[in-house]
Amino acid sequence: MIFARCTRSFGATQLIMQSSGLALQRAGHASPIPVGMDHDGRENKADIMWLSQDMTVLKVLDSNRVTEDGAEAVALAYANATEGWVVKRRLQQREGADWLLGKERRWLALEISGTAVGDPFARLRVKKQQLIANCSLDAERLAVVVVFDAPFIVAGTA
Amino acid sequence: MNASLFTLTEDELDTLVSIAIRRAEVLDQAGSLMANDAWREVMTYEERLAAITPPDEIPGGIARVGAVTAALAAGQRQEASRLALQYRDEESLPEERRAAIERAFREDGEQLAKRFPALAKSGKFAELQELRRRSAVTPLRVFPKVA
């Protein structure tokens, strides 16, 4: 995942980069790994690459947070790699989305969810509904769910 | 506000506010006593971002609502009222952002009422809120201001 180009503020995503590698390695994967993708029903494939992480760190980290942060890193890289969105900033919970991304005077509110195992499509439906109900920003909206055991990325516009 | 903040660019402030929000939310979830300080830091960055971005653009609108919600999360309701008053005065602030500020106060009030049900039930809570709102316009003073 090439973060340097998906964010103007590298430091903003630096903290979650490590988690994406840890979440993937915890699921038994090694870099690079093929990943399945579904974006509004359009299927695709790509490879995820990351710097190998020291797994002993997992002993002192919250497991759910590693999954959530890891999913954020994967989703931000996905939004950049597929449509060129660039990270602007993290949003407070009350905005109803996790991140604001931008490109050429367009804005995207991105809602992200991560899970170690499970059905990503059911979760995507929930996330899309949350975006519609809670995000009042005058921006395009995208929900992304990352499953680490497959690994698989599902994305849907809301 | 710390003078060094005035030298930071919008991108640098975006980085700082992103990191600070994450930290504040983690501390909040953990029930840490440090959460208030973390939200105060978020408020500082949001306030500075609001000062350097136009109210009618998405990042500017987010920063303005963000400054108010962070102040409320930090328990600084008087500061939140002052900021809300200042931002509502900006004519080009979109209606949706004005509604988001109103919503933030309403939700904060509901949360407070849940925490202090007796105060809310007796009506004293509303009085307290009104006093806070008024004091945001005219600061309360123990002694009359010397002319």
Side-chain angles (χ1 to χ4, degrees):
Chain A
M1 287 173 276
I2 305 166
F3 279 95
R5 69 171 192 188
C6 85
T7 174
R8 276 191 297 260
S9 49
F10 185 70
T13 53
Q14 201 170 10
L15 289 166
I16 58 174
M17 281 169 55
Q18 184 191 24
S19 293
S20 61
L22 285 170
L24 285 159
Q25 285 172 220
R26 186 180 58 186
H29 306 304
S31 177
I33 182 84
V35 56
M37 301 184 295
D38 183 299
H39 193 131
D40 285 330
R42 295 188 310 275
E43 291 181 9
N44 217 329
K45 280 194 168 153
D47 283 342
I48 297 182
M49 287 178 278
W50 68 95
L51 291 174
S52 182
Q53 298 295 318
D54 182 355
M55 295 287 278
T56 55
V57 181
L58 283 173
K59 289 178 187 166
V60 294
L61 293 177
D62 177 79
S63 175
N64 290 334
R65 182 134 314 266
V66 169
T67 307
E68 283 298 320
D69 286 356
E72 287 197 354
V74 172
L76 293 175
Y78 172 82
N80 177 262
T82 55
E83 292 183 13
W85 291 106
V86 176
V87 173
K88 172 74 173 159
R89 57 164 289 176
R90 184 186 284 275
L91 298 172
Q92 291 183 38
Q93 264 176 0
R94 280 187 174 167
E95 289 291 5
D98 295 315
W99 289 87
L100 179 72
L101 293 86
K103 65 172 179 180
E104 298 152 10
R105 307 293 297 166
R106 286 168 60 195
W107 298 104
L108 177 76
L110 185 63
E111 172 69 10
I112 303 164
S113 180
T115 175
V117 292
D119 175 17
F121 292 96
R123 190 177 277 227
L124 183 71
R125 278 193 294 276
V126 172
K127 287 288 154 187
K128 281 168 68 173
Q129 283 166 358
Q130 277 178 5
L131 258 179
I132 293 165
N134 303 331
C135 181
S136 61
L137 288 173
D138 186 19
E140 296 169 54
R141 297 167 198 172
L142 181 72
V144 176
V145 177
V146 180
V147 188
F148 286 99
D149 74 333
F152 202 82
I153 300 168
V154 287
T157 48
Chain B
M1 196 179 288
N2 191 323
S4 63
L5 276 182
F6 290 90
T7 62
L8 297 176
T9 65
E10 187 178 341
D11 282 350
E12 287 167 336
L13 286 162
D14 280 337
T15 300
L16 290 171
V17 81
S18 297
I19 294 168
I21 288 170
R22 181 183 184 272
R23 184 166 59 236
E25 288 179 352
V26 168
L27 289 170
D28 237 1
Q29 281 171 14
S32 168
L33 292 172
M34 299 297 288
N36 274 14
D37 286 342
W39 281 116
R40 216 168 10 248
E41 189 181 348
V42 173
M43 182 188 79
T44 307
Y45 298 140
E46 296 278 29
E47 204 181 339
R48 183 65 196 137
L49 274 167
I52 62 169
T53 51
D56 55 345
E57 290 185 6
I58 294 262
I62 288 172
R64 282 160 177 80
V65 175
V68 173
T69 54
L72 289 170
Q76 299 204 331
R77 291 180 179 82
Q78 200 162 323
E79 185 66 3
S81 297
R82 183 190 67 78
L83 289 168
L85 206 65
Q86 179 186 329
Y87 299 146
R88 281 197 207 108
D89 272 352
E90 296 176 309
E91 277 181 19
S92 59
L93 186 70
E95 209 46 56
E96 176 273 319
R97 292 286 86 187
R98 291 173 191 276
I101 289 174
E102 290 301 323
R103 199 165 52 243
F105 279 101
R106 197 171 55 245
E107 287 172 3
D108 181 65
E110 286 165 4
Q111 273 180 0
L112 269 183
K114 272 185 200 162
R115 263 171 68 190
F116 306 106
L119 205 59
K121 207 174 169 182
S122 67
K124 302 280 185 203
F125 177 68
E127 274 177 40
L128 190 68
Q129 292 287 77
E130 182 53 32
L131 187 67
R132 279 191 173 133
R133 234 189 312 276
R134 274 190 280 127
S135 65
V137 185
T138 316
L140 292 174
R141 293 174 196 284
V142 176
F143 301 106
K145 198 175 176 183
V146 178

